[in-house]
Amino acid sequence: MTALLPSLLLYIAAALAEIAGCFAVWRWWRDDASAWWLLPAVASLVAFAWLLSQIDADYAGRAFAAYGGIYIVASLGWLWWVEQRLPDRWDLIGGVLCLVGAAVILLGPRS
């Protein structure tokens, strides 16, 4: 389990970087915010790509697929903490299902 901790931390950091970058673009595009929002957006999205490439996995596709579950749960956290909207029960059920799927992808026995 301790071997998974570095990957889990990288997944969480990558998710936060991706969500922050996309949120900055969202603010600029959808909320008519200043174009200056694009600078942290680009920096966050570059950090996201770099962080995700640091995941210890044999195949990029498998690392990216497992990341999807972490991303979804992190997005629900963003919804709650940054946007001040509580996820509803369907959000939470979906998040749990995604985490289970990510765990199967990451931890499933390989031949």
Side-chain angles (χ1 to χ4, degrees), residues 5-99:
L5 190 57
S7 290
L8 182 59
L9 293 175
L10 283 169
Y11 275 128
I12 292 168
L16 293 176
E18 182 180 13
I19 294 164
C22 291
F23 184 74
V25 172
W26 175 284
R27 292 277 304 157
W28 167 70
W29 185 260
R30 306 255 323 236
D31 294 339
D32 258 348
S34 165
W36 289 106
W37 278 84
L38 294 176
L39 291 176
V42 170
S44 289
L45 292 171
V46 167
F48 150 71
W50 181 81
L51 286 162
L52 196 55
S53 72
Q54 303 305 303
I55 299 294
D56 185 24
D58 293 336
Y59 300 99
R62 191 167 288 142
F64 299 164
Y67 165 72
I70 305 298
Y71 175 81
I72 290 168
V73 171
S75 295
L76 294 174
W78 185 276
L79 173 69
W80 185 9
W81 291 309
V82 175
E83 297 183 273
Q84 301 292 302
R85 297 286 179 201
L86 270 177
D88 64 25
R89 69 175 174 204
W90 300 108
D91 295 326
L92 299 175
I93 291 168
V96 168
L97 290 172
C98 291
L99 281 181

